Amino acid sequence: MKSPNLVLDKADPGDDVAARFDYQHSYAAINAIRLTTGEGNLNEVICENHEDFLLKNSAGKFIGTQIKTRKITLSPFRASEAQVTNALGKFCLLDQKFPTCFEGFDFTTNHAFWENEQSLNNLPWLLTTLRQRGGIKGLRENSPLRQYVEGIASSTNLSPQNVAATLIRTTVRGHEAEITHIRSNVQEALCECPGIEELPYATVAAIAKALVQLAREASAKTLRGPITELFAPGTDLKQAVDDQLLAGKRICKADVLAIINRFKGGSKPFQDINVSALVTPSDAPADLVIAFRKLAKGGVEAGRVTNIEDRVRSFEALFLEWSRKYGVDEARKRYNNVLAAVQFEAAEAHAGAEKGGEPYGSAMFGVLAERLMARARDDRDQLHGCRPEHLIGAAGLLTQQCKTWWSPHFKVAEDAP
């Protein structure tokens, strides 16, 4: 007899909807991080108010942002799709509702935009051409650009000139990635903040999750303020509620710094961290989740952990190059020789670092990096010309395979405090 907990329900869209909202909240968190880095000269992120979120700059101008998600296996967005024209029409209406308030508009997707030819389906080309021309004046009636602008004008009851003025200030971004990859992008954005790369990866992962939660809460109808303000004598209750709802939608620099500083000062021992909950397949490369969990448990810094993926890909690319040049059997022989050499060096680094007490992952990484640099220099021929970054990548693969550890052993997939 089949059991429901052992059969995947492929007809239930609930998890897909949750992933789409998580993408939006994570993207809002990335923009909230920009408040602390000064990128874009932003001073506020306002969630789920008129658009998916608004970005307010120091001059008091706004950028309206819409986030659209799509399974990466589906075709790219075409300009003629209703989902696209409706989004652009909403930008145009918002621009007219609040004249002179918007510096620009942003249409962002995890997917991509169709660009095969210059036609009514090619949104990047339409917007770029419109921007270069400064409008549709002088275009023939059968011009795709004129037809596109006039189509949106007809659906919104706006003039073509007003629609063109909004579209000229509209940008599109296609990231061409799975929806779930956005979580690791939050961590990467965090590492752009001064001093964050030097924090343990586990701390940065916790900060990233907290910032996504901050954006999630700001996207809900949350009152922000003391309840006494709502019922004070002479207060307009409706206006007071609206004011607190708007306050709940705002994320400012102080909100982001408060979360960062709270976790930076945390003292929870790394051996007590539930890394399975902290590092999920959404937070790390799918094929390196175990490696990231083990590095997190060892207290290795965020900058080192996030660079591991690049090193692994570099070593994998070298294997493919060997396969093309020398055949798969010789490539596999070289690959295994390098892994064996790196495993020895990792074991030596581990033996020395663990004597210093937990967490020792950071010290071990430093020792291993030095040993691998020396090995790459002194045994270049035996290591088939591998550079230090290839050897670090090999260490990452050994970590994923549970042949190298950065802390005492634990159940990687079932870790619990």
Side-chain angles (χ1 to χ4, degrees):
M1 181 181 295
K2 292 183 178 180
S3 176
N5 68 318
L6 300 177
V7 178
L8 178 65
D9 181 2
K10 297 182 180 180
D12 183 1
D15 52 356
D16 182 60
V17 172
R20 293 176 188 276
F21 277 115
D22 188 67
Y23 186 92
Q24 180 177 318
H25 300 149
S26 296
Y27 203 78
I30 289 172
N31 279 281
I33 292 167
R34 296 170 62 196
L35 299 173
T36 69
T37 62
E39 182 186 350
N41 200 25
L42 303 180
N43 65 6
E44 202 168 57
V45 177
I46 306 163
C47 298
E48 290 292 354
N49 193 54
H50 301 294
E51 291 295 357
D52 289 337
F53 54 86
L54 305 177
L55 304 178
K56 183 181 179 183
N57 62 28
S58 59
K61 298 286 187 177
F62 297 88
I63 295 175
T65 300
Q66 289 194 42
I67 307 295
K68 301 297 180 186
T69 54
R70 175 172 285 182
K71 288 183 178 180
I72 204 68
T73 53
L74 299 178
S75 60
F77 282 97
R78 292 173 179 257
S80 56
E81 290 181 35
Q83 191 175 14
V84 174
T85 56
N86 289 343
L88 297 179
K90 190 177 179 184
F91 284 156
C92 296
L93 290 169
L94 191 61
D95 205 13
Q96 292 304 300
K97 186 176 181 179
F98 300 99
T100 74
C101 289
F102 282 90
E103 184 176 274
F105 297 89
D106 184 278
F107 185 115
T108 290
T109 176
N110 70 296
H111 207 293
F113 295 95
W114 188 89
E115 298 184 74
N116 290 359
E117 60 184 36
Q118 296 179 356
S119 72
L120 277 171
N121 285 317
N122 188 335
L123 184 59
W125 172 73
L126 289 169
L127 295 179
T128 298
T129 304
L130 184 65
R131 196 174 299 117
Q132 291 172 344
R133 295 190 84 264
I136 61 173
K137 185 177 180 180
L139 288 176
R140 300 189 307 273
E141 290 186 5
N142 64 348
S143 162
L145 185 55
R146 174 179 284 278
Q147 291 175 353
Y148 194 72
V149 170
E150 290 181 343
I152 294 177
S154 176
S155 67
T156 56
N157 292 319
L158 297 173
S159 72
Q161 291 73 27
N162 286 336
V163 169
T166 300
L167 296 186
I168 284 171
R169 290 176 286 127
T170 299
T171 58
V172 293
R173 304 172 195 270
H175 294 297
E176 302 184 43
E178 289 286 356
I179 296 173
T180 54
H181 288 180
I182 191 67
R183 282 298 191 96
S184 60
N185 296 139
V186 179
Q187 295 174 14
E188 291 175 8
L190 261 175
C191 286
E192 296 297 319
C193 299
I196 295 295
E197 270 196 329
E198 287 75 35
L199 293 177
Y201 175 78
T203 301
V204 175
I207 294 172
K209 286 185 181 296
L211 290 176
V212 173
Q213 181 60 28
L214 176 68
R216 183 176 293 113
E217 292 171 356
S219 298
K221 289 186 175 181
T222 304
L223 295 174
R224 186 174 186 177
I227 194 171
T228 52
E229 284 187 359
L230 302 179
F231 301 101
T235 297
D236 181 335
L237 179 60
K238 183 178 182 302
Q239 185 60 52
V241 169
D242 286 352
D243 290 344
Q244 287 205 11
L245 286 173
L246 277 171
K249 293 178 177 296
R250 294 190 176 99
I251 300 175
C252 63
K253 180 178 179 179
D255 298 322
V256 178
L257 290 178
I259 288 176
I260 291 176
N261 291 331
R262 171 159 55 91
F263 282 92
K264 282 175 68 174
S267 58
K268 186 175 183 179
F270 287 100
Q271 55 265 36
D272 293 338
I273 291 174
N274 183 342
V275 294
S276 292
L278 186 65
V279 184
T280 70
S282 296
D283 302 304
D287 59 335
L288 293 174
V289 172
I290 289 175
F292 275 48
R293 287 175 177 173
K294 290 165 68 178
L295 290 159
K297 195 79 165 181
V300 179
E301 294 85 350
R304 286 170 162 173
V305 175
T306 54
N307 281 334
I308 282 286
E309 181 182 10
D310 290 338
R311 304 297 185 260
V312 168
R313 304 307 173 219
S314 179
F315 185 49
E316 290 173 337
L318 181 61
F319 173 76
L320 293 177
E321 183 181 335
W322 286 340
S323 297
R324 287 192 296 269
K325 282 185 176 181
Y326 310 112
V328 173
D329 289 342
E330 174 63 20
R332 189 176 291 113
K333 179 181 177 181
R334 292 178 174 221
Y335 180 85
N336 289 331
N337 285 345
V338 173
L339 287 180
V342 173
Q343 187 174 359
F344 171 81
E345 299 297 345
E348 291 296 305
H350 185 278
E354 69 177 342
K355 295 176 182 178
E358 295 184 59
Y360 55 78
S362 175
M364 176 181 162
F365 197 105
V367 172
L368 178 59
E370 290 181 1
R371 294 180 71 97
L372 293 180
M373 287 182 67
R375 192 75 184 264
R377 181 187 64 243
D378 299 336
D379 296 335
R380 181 175 176 80
D381 291 340
Q382 292 182 8
L383 293 175
H384 312 289
C386 280
R387 298 190 298 271
E389 59 265 30
H390 296 137
L391 302 183
I392 290 291
L397 288 173
L398 289 166
T399 303
Q400 178 69 18
Q401 297 166 6
C402 288
K403 295 179 180 178
T404 292
W405 291 81
W406 305 81
S407 69
H409 290 204
F410 62 96
K411 292 183 178 180
V412 181
E414 303 175 4
D415 178 64

